[in-house]
Amino acid sequence: MDSLADKAAFQAQVLNKTIQPTASCLSALSLTSSQCSTYSAPDLHETVTFDIKEMRALLDMHNIEDRDSLFNLIIQSNLFNPRKVGSRVFVSPDYNQSMEQQREMTMKRLEYLVDCGVFKGWTTERGPEVELKRMAVNDVISIYDHSLAVMMGAHYFLWGGAIQFFGTKRHHDKWLKLTEDYGMKGCFAMTELGHGSNVRGIETITTYDPNNGEFIINTPCESAQKYWIGGAAQHATHTIIFSQLNINGKNQGVHAFIVQIRDADGRVCPNIRIADCGHKIGLNGVDNGRIWFDNAHIPRENLLNSVADVSPDGQYLSAIKDPDQRFAAFLAPLTSGRVNIAVSSIYVAKIGLATAIRYALSRRAFSLSPDEPEVLLLDYPSHQRRLLPLVAKTYAMSFAGNYLKSIYVRRTPETNKTVHVVSSALKATLTWHNMRTLQECREACGGQGLKTENRVGHLKGEYDVQLTFEGDNNVLMQQVSKALLGEYMATQKNKRPFKGLWLEHMNGSSPVIPSQLTSSILRCSQFQTDVFCLRERDLLNRFAAEVSANLKQGRTKEFAFVLGYQLAEDLGRAFADKAILLTCMEAEAKVTPGPLKDVLALLRSLYALIVLEEDAAFLRYGHLSVENASAVRQEVVNLCSELRPHSLALVSSFGIPDAFLSPIAFDWVDANSWSSVQQ
């Protein structure tokens, strides 16, 4: 084969043999008619072994009739964008609308809910029952649309809550009924361009003019402009502004004031400038704005004076002399925002899981052997491993959210610290979980997860903001660790036992983890409690030792804490995980023996073991051996397999009406058929 022609002929012969199948191959690969993919409702082939209504009551905990009533109110109104897809009707905002159109629809929906009496008693009545009903409404609205929930929250929870908690009778009489009736539109101006989490460092300055009995508010520099203020860009008529208060040349710290920013006709008031924050990755139904104050004058009575006041002649008055305690008193009522965010994030995770699980129970892919049907996605162990641990986490975190709501609505001055620490830990942990869950569910739905109408992918952009508003998650977790360290130092200094924050386990001896972990041990609630407490105990001791070492080297208390950030992060996570596990156990303990309790035990064990598997701290600090870590991993697989038959019942127990899910959660073939295009 010396010539090019010979070489070409040889190559052609080889290629011909390669691409020409043998007769036997042709026989095996001969084309046969294949039945088209069809939708089979999971409800027809999935079994239910426990009472779904009872499970839902356990998850929602309160105001179930009020929730269902509001769900129905939304479904029945054309304002909430009902649309028929295939044979079903779904409700969700039209995210194809422009930013301006989305904002207009958000306001129309909010005003409709006001007219329907949804917010009756919200600011004029008090008590745990009233607060729980408000939270139930927030849960439902969050399931429908985050923009609507934020605008509702800015007016009622933030503006209205500030009037309630920071104000006194003169403010209550003037503003609370007006707020409840939506006779004005309130917003909440705390965040600045230069300061978000560090509220103490905000730069807006307020002084007092005793000659005219007025406060004068000024934005001294560009970094002091109020930023991200929900409702400010277009709609709000009034705001609660947080500002440094300077009296007679002395800075008395951050205080809150009522300021009118627009008149009844929507015109911006004198000495105030407002600009739009513009388009965002989500929440475009919220008109976030920026505000500058150019020596704006307000009456002395507009100081919210439950904590401190200024007399007509300009004397600063407060029963709380310590500036740190005074600042803490100002921030304590703001905990409600973190509570609502934590709980609502779990309801959004439920949307993602209900959609992805239902899709996986009807979508098939690949056959495991010839002449057999394709396999349901959720029958693949790998798919179970992706979704079912997230279901277990969502259940456990639902119970933690319920506990948080319970302690919040029954808070006292003595429990405020506990509420702050628990709400900070859960706000961070639950919102992180939501984003991770939505991402996994989006991927588990394949290309269908990219479609806006299927909600899961779009919800990521809508709820991403929860990781940073009402407190950056990383900062909140540092606050948790700082509180735990403070409790540790106090017990050492005062030689007293630990009390509160579930730290009583520190008073006893350290738990001993068995050298070999069997399946029965791994599923034992006592073992799970022991290993979670062991991790927290060890991390708290390590963190305290590191901070103490830094202090001995002459570093300031704050700098010593900052240098220990890695242990602080691990400790904050350990506290949150332990809190979630213990509240999950409390919920399980209230259920009588039977199928429901059995399923809850599986969920609790899967939650505990997936935390053991995912957090490297257990291995890093020697709480688990490599062999035991392998045992944990295998048990996670076993638990996923055991929970698989309950998967549809578990997501059905979330209590989310079908209309609030999406087409791929049901007959996705019908929803994508040619006939649906013609609708």
Side-chain angles (χ1 to χ4, degrees), residues 166-209:
F166 297 150
T168 52
K169 187 176 186 302
R170 71 188 187 208
H171 305 108
H172 299 163
D173 292 345
K174 181 176 181 179
W175 295 106
L176 289 183
K177 185 65 168 67
L178 189 65
T179 297
E180 186 174 295
D181 296 340
Y182 213 46
M184 44 68 60
K185 297 178 178 66
C187 64
F188 190 82
M190 177 180 282
T191 299
E192 295 180 354
L193 178 62
H195 289 85
S197 296
N198 182 15
V199 176
R200 213 166 199 166
I202 61 176
E203 298 170 302
T204 302
I205 296 174
T206 298
T207 56
Y208 180 67
D209 178 6

Side-chain angles (χ1 to χ4, degrees), residues 333-374:
L334 304 182
T335 306
S336 66
R338 288 196 294 274
V339 175
N340 280 321
I341 290 168
V343 175
S344 68
S345 69
I346 290 302
Y347 278 96
V348 176
K350 290 175 182 177
I351 297 173
L353 287 167
T355 302
I357 292 288
R358 283 182 166 274
Y359 187 59
L361 287 170
S362 63
R363 181 71 151 83
R364 296 176 179 272
F366 304 107
S367 299
L368 298 183
S369 59
D371 302 322
E372 287 191 2
E374 292 183 293

Side-chain angles (χ1 to χ4, degrees), residues 333-437:
L334 304 182
T335 306
S336 66
R338 288 196 294 274
V339 175
N340 280 321
I341 290 168
V343 175
S344 68
S345 69
I346 290 302
Y347 278 96
V348 176
K350 290 175 182 177
I351 297 173
L353 287 167
T355 302
I357 292 288
R358 283 182 166 274
Y359 187 59
L361 287 170
S362 63
R363 181 71 151 83
R364 296 176 179 272
F366 304 107
S367 299
L368 298 183
S369 59
D371 302 322
E372 287 191 2
E374 292 183 293
V375 178
L376 284 173
L377 294 182
L378 203 59
D379 283 338
Y380 285 102
S382 60
H383 212 75
Q384 297 171 15
R385 182 62 178 73
R386 294 173 68 181
L387 295 178
L388 294 182
L390 296 174
V391 172
K393 281 189 172 185
T394 299
Y395 264 79
M397 292 179 187
S398 292
F399 299 135
N402 288 342
Y403 171 80
L404 176 58
K405 287 190 283 188
S406 296
I407 63 172
Y408 175 76
V409 300
R410 292 170 177 83
R411 64 196 177 279
T412 64
E414 293 73 30
T415 64
N416 276 341
K417 178 182 177 181
T418 298
V419 173
H420 169 71
V421 175
V422 175
S423 65
S424 297
L426 294 185
K427 185 268 183 182
T429 304
L430 273 56
T431 56
W432 274 327
H433 167 73
N434 179 38
M435 294 307 296
R436 179 187 171 187
T437 299

Side-chain angles (χ1 to χ4, degrees), residues 55-124:
M55 183 71 93
R56 187 211 169 174
L58 199 62
L59 286 171
D60 280 344
M61 188 177 76
H62 62 93
N63 297 94
I64 292 177
E65 289 185 4
D66 292 321
R67 294 170 192 267
D68 289 343
S69 176
L70 183 53
F71 277 132
N72 290 330
L73 184 68
I74 292 172
I75 291 171
Q76 293 166 9
S77 171
N78 288 330
L79 264 179
F80 293 88
N81 192 39
R83 67 197 187 285
K84 189 173 183 182
V85 182
S87 60
R88 289 180 174 271
V89 175
F90 298 94
V91 289
S92 67
D94 182 359
Y95 294 113
N96 292 316
Q97 290 182 323
S98 68
M99 180 179 72
E100 291 74 19
Q101 289 172 319
Q102 289 185 54
R103 290 176 174 182
E104 180 184 357
M105 289 308 300
T106 298
M107 294 307 296
K108 286 183 177 179
R109 289 166 184 148
L110 185 53
E111 289 165 355
Y112 174 78
L113 295 176
V114 172
D115 293 340
C116 290
V118 171
F119 308 116
K120 184 178 180 181
W122 269 40
T123 58
T124 55

Side-chain angles (χ1 to χ4, degrees), residues 225-226 232-233 262 273-278 288-292:
Q225 63 181 275
K226 294 299 180 181
R262 286 187 178 85
R273 290 173 287 149
I274 297 177
D276 203 311
C277 287
N288 293 96
R290 303 146 62 191
I291 311 174
W292 292 258

Side-chain angles (χ1 to χ4, degrees), residues 9-27:
F10 177 75
Q11 290 173 350
Q13 186 179 14
V14 172
L15 286 172
N16 189 50
K17 289 181 178 180
T18 302
I19 64 175
Q20 290 293 331
T22 63
S24 59
C25 288
L26 279 173
S27 176

